[in-house]
Amino acid sequence: MSLDRSDVERIAHLARLQIDESDIPSYTENLSSILNLIDQMQQTDTSGVEPLANPLDAVLRLREDVVSEVNQRAALQSVSPAVEEGLFLVPKVIE
Amino acid sequence: MFDKTLAELAEGLRKGEFSSVELTQAYLERIKNEDNRYNSFITVTEEQALEQARAADAAIAAGTAGAFTGLPIAHKDLFCTQGVRTSCGSKMLDNFASPYDATVVAKFKQAGAVMLGKTNMDEFAMGSSNESSFYGAARNPWNTDCVPGGSSGGSGAAVAARLTPAATGSDTGGSIRQPAALCGITGLKPTYGRVSRYGMIAYASSLDQGGPMAHTAEDCAIMLNVMAGFDPMDSTCLNREVPDYTATLNESLAGLKIGLPKEYFSEALDPQIAERVKAAVAEFEKLGATVKEVSLPRTELSIPAYYIIAPAEASSNLSRFDGVRYGYRCENPQDLEDMYKRTRGEGFGAEVKRRIMVGTYALCAGYYDAYYNKAQQIRRLIQQDFIRVLEEVDVIMGPTTPHPAFRIGEKNNDPVSMYMEDIFTLSLNLAGLPGMSVPCGQVNGLPVGLQIIGNYFAEAKLLNVAHQFQQATDWHKQAPAGI
């Protein structure tokens, strides 16, 4: 599996990662070699094999639908880049 | 004092040979004087450590001390520590002082431990060399031109350099066992779900597991007694009884059945490491164990399966770093998309970006079945191989790594050759099994690790096996030159 420049640009956009123009060739090369490594697994016949998501096949626990969280808004927002009156500030989204 | 194990330090504290404050001051002083050679700590928490040490001394005087009271440890910098920077080795979290404690951190606090600081690591635990850290590479105390391994490289280096008697680590594909092997210390990756992941910054959630790194199996048992157990805050943490891991350390190994997977002794393995591992196995035979060859035929497939599953989960987990709620935000964003892209482009290093992109690609519409689903199917096959072998033998043994520590910079530009170093450790995470690395010799003055793999929840057995080996050998007591 070999990627080209436009693949890398598309993936970087999907992942919301800015990649410097000058770094795109090395990402293209590295990602292609990683995907070649990964493609080794395509040779294995896995038909009928149940995918393993949790090593112990455990399912998520359920709990009673009751309030369990205390309000920690001030503490959690104390590490935020920009907040005002309890709200997170981001660049203007709606004109 | 710096060669003492946790068990010996605990005894010294109990007998009043030294106080926890004296002990803590000695280690803090040593970190200050020595760590410029190893770069094993990102943050040293001197004030808090001394405060915890004073409280521990008061508890010892009052007779309310527990097994861990007053013992110094360090935490890998992906465990959230309230009010203390938790960087995960990344520029993204350089300014992040966690508002809460990870469960593992809280349990150690509760047990009266003294936290000396936070250890260096590969950025977001993605790496096998500690070179991807925003804070620079940690160095191997056995040869400071070499890597300490990763991702828990700072923990490995700090313990090996006797800057702390023990440290926590986390293991997603070998990140406890590989640095333990390369630094000549003892490390344990528990069964998936044995130790809470709450407050442990997520890399690949279905593979991540925290565990102890120390000089001896006994010390790992003492730490696991604190770390293990159910936590309602982690939805995958299992509600199963936690034994006293120190209680069974002295059981005899007579009749122990050891399996040696033939695939672990392939051409990829340095022949000198093979020799050291086989010598260690011979030691177990002297202790009454029997050895047979077994087969784990899908060992090689663990690399491609891991490098789909881990990046896929990482690409999802790391989407939370968006510059909105915590961590780094780029200067003067033009609009929301610009803020996301520049925050993440500037905040993450190259290896993290590579893995996010591999994961994003694998999870793209149309590729899911060919990549993620296929990898999860292979994961099942790998697990089935282990289950089959562990019906025949009690433990599986082999090398932890194919080579001893490599030189800093040697594999920097070739991610695939770095990934191949994980060949013997990845499969355990895919299967969720526990494994240890124990020092078993040296090659060219660099330590070699013996990997011991057990069945689900067989941590007590692994620790017993490793402890008995350490009663018969002294590889775990070897220290780097000048230390």
Side-chain angles (χ1 to χ4, degrees), chain B residues 136-208:
Chain B
R139 291 168 177 275
N140 192 318
W142 292 83
N143 178 344
T144 51
D145 292 332
C146 290
V147 303
S151 65
S152 313
S155 292
V159 174
R162 275 71 175 164
L163 303 181
T164 177
T168 53
S170 71
D171 192 314
T172 304
S175 286
I176 287 175
R177 290 160 289 153
Q178 188 251 16
L182 269 42
C183 290
I185 65 165
T186 306
L188 167 67
K189 179 203 102 69
T191 306
Y192 182 77
R194 179 77 289 188
V195 171
S196 170
R197 294 184 297 109
Y198 179 71
M200 198 177 97
I201 295 172
Y203 161 20
S205 305
S206 78
L207 307 168
D208 295 342

Side-chain angles (χ1 to χ4, degrees), chain B residues 174-358:
Chain B
S175 286
I176 287 175
R177 290 160 289 153
Q178 188 251 16
L182 269 42
C183 290
I185 65 165
T186 306
L188 167 67
K189 179 203 102 69
T191 306
Y192 182 77
R194 179 77 289 188
V195 171
S196 170
R197 294 184 297 109
Y198 179 71
M200 198 177 97
I201 295 172
Y203 161 20
S205 305
S206 78
L207 307 168
D208 295 342
Q209 186 64 198
M213 301 173 75
H215 287 295
T216 64
E218 182 182 24
D219 283 1
C220 286
I222 292 169
M223 289 177 78
L224 193 59
N225 274 352
V226 176
M227 298 172 80
F230 178 63
D231 177 13
M233 300 300 280
D234 172 2
S235 60
T236 59
C237 193
L238 292 160
N239 196 352
R240 283 179 66 127
E241 202 188 329
V242 179
D244 175 357
Y245 292 106
T246 62
T248 46
L249 291 172
N250 289 314
E251 285 182 1
S252 160
L253 300 189
L256 180 81
K257 284 182 273 185
I258 299 171
L260 296 185
K262 61 179 181 202
E263 293 80 5
Y264 284 22
F265 295 87
S266 67
E267 280 170 15
L269 178 64
D270 179 333
Q272 295 188 87
I273 291 194
E275 199 181 287
R276 305 297 182 278
V277 169
K278 285 183 174 159
V281 171
E283 199 63 50
F284 281 102
E285 288 183 298
K286 284 191 217 159
L287 296 172
T290 59
V291 180
K292 69 182 279 189
E293 185 183 272
V294 295
S295 177
L296 294 168
R298 277 88 164 209
T299 297
E300 280 194 355
L301 284 173
S302 62
I303 296 178
Y306 177 88
Y307 280 100
I308 282 295
I309 293 167
E313 295 183 8
S315 73
S316 167
N317 272 327
L318 271 62
S319 65
R320 72 191 58 170
F321 300 105
D322 55 8
V324 176
R325 289 152 300 162
Y326 39 73
Y328 178 75
R329 176 187 285 197
C330 68
E331 297 282 335
N332 304 316
Q334 303 303 301
D335 55 32
L336 195 61
E337 185 167 298
D338 180 54
M339 184 183 86
Y340 290 153
K341 285 187 170 176
R342 281 203 293 124
T343 292
R344 292 163 62 76
E346 294 163 16
F348 292 137
E351 181 62 19
V352 172
K353 282 187 250 191
R354 275 197 284 270
R355 294 199 195 187
I356 289 174
M357 286 198 278
V358 169

Side-chain angles (χ1 to χ4, degrees), chain B residues 405-449:
Chain B
F406 47 92
R407 295 182 93 77
I408 292 172
E410 189 181 322
K411 295 178 193 287
N412 250 352
N413 299 317
D414 185 0
V416 167
S417 90
M418 185 89 86
Y419 297 175
M420 302 304 277
E421 289 299 303
D422 303 331
I423 174 89
F424 302 129
T425 49
L426 297 176
S427 53
L428 275 74
N429 300 78
L430 293 169
L433 289 165
M436 285 191 78
S437 182
V438 180
C440 73
Q442 290 171 13
V443 169
N444 303 329
L446 292 168
V448 173

Side-chain angles (χ1 to χ4, degrees), chain B residues 18-19 29 36 63 139 181 204 293 344:
Chain B
F18 41 81
S19 69
E29 188 68 19
N36 53 356
R139 291 168 177 275
E293 185 183 272
R344 292 163 62 76

Side-chain angles (χ1 to χ4, degrees), chain A residues 1 11 13 15-16 18 27 30 41-42 44 46 49-53 55-57 61 79-81 89, chain B residues 97 192 234 237-238 301 323-325 329 341-342 344 354 357 361 370 374 376-380 383 431:
Chain A
M1 184 73 204
I11 298 164
H13 170 70
R16 298 297 184 270
Q18 178 176 280
Y27 277 103
N30 283 328
M41 69 180 185
Q42 303 302 348
T44 302
T46 53
V49 177
E50 184 71 17
L52 178 72
L56 295 151
D57 286 317
R61 289 187 304 276
V79 291
S80 302
L89 297 187
Chain B
Y192 182 77
D234 172 2
C237 193
L238 292 160
L301 284 173
V324 176
R325 289 152 300 162
R329 176 187 285 197
K341 285 187 170 176
R342 281 203 293 124
R344 292 163 62 76
R354 275 197 284 270
M357 286 198 278
Y361 181 77
K374 182 88 180 174
Q376 299 278 55
Q377 288 175 310
I378 287 175
R379 189 175 182 185
R380 172 84 61 190
Q383 181 196 40

Side-chain angles (χ1 to χ4, degrees), chain A residues 37-75:
Chain A
L37 173 79
I38 286 164
D39 275 338
Q40 287 170 15
M41 69 180 185
Q42 303 302 348
Q43 290 151 22
T44 302
D45 180 11
T46 53
S47 48
V49 177
E50 184 71 17
L52 178 72
N54 179 298
L56 295 151
D57 286 317
V59 291
L60 294 183
R61 289 187 304 276
L62 298 177
R63 62 164 174 82
E64 292 301 311
D65 185 18
V66 292
V67 176
S68 59
E69 282 289 302
V70 290
N71 183 358
Q72 303 181 68
R73 186 169 74 180

